[in-house]
């Protein structure tokens, strides 16, 4: 029963990807680095958690591999082309 929450999230993500297409779908994720514990999420993120999330975007050292850095670059390029 506990796995239904994760399955629902996967279903929602895949549904959005189907509707917007692969070219416009950018998947961001939180990483678990070999030297850090998982980032706890809640309604309010502490300063420490926010710093860890910023570090993950800057380093790109991510397990499992998410292409967060490239996704940010793509967003920046698309926003710049709309100006």
């Amino acid at each position: 029963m506990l796995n239904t929450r994760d399955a629902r999230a996967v279903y929602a993500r895949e549904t959005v990807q189907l509707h917007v297409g692969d070219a416009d779908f950018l998947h961001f994720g939180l990483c678990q680095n070999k030297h850090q514990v998982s980032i706890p999420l809640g309604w309010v993120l502490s300063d420490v958690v926010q710093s860890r999330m910023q570090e993950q975007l800057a380093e790109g050292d991510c397990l499992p591999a998410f292409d967060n850095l490239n996704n940010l670059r793509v967003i920046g390029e698309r926003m710049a082309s709309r100006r």
Side-chain angles (χ1 to χ4, degrees), residues 38-72:
S38 297
I39 293 178
L41 296 177
W43 287 103
V44 178
L45 298 176
S46 69
D47 291 338
V48 172
V49 169
Q50 290 180 45
S51 294
R52 285 188 189 163
M53 292 172 77
Q54 288 296 327
E55 289 169 9
Q56 285 185 8
L57 286 174
E59 294 170 5
D61 180 24
C62 206
L63 300 171
F66 292 103
D67 205 1
N68 294 337
L69 286 174
N70 186 57
N71 288 343
L72 287 174

Side-chain angles (χ1 to χ4, degrees), residues 1-11:
M1 204 163 151
L2 294 174
N3 289 335
T4 59
R5 180 175 182 217
D6 290 337
R8 188 116 173 109
V10 170
Y11 173 75

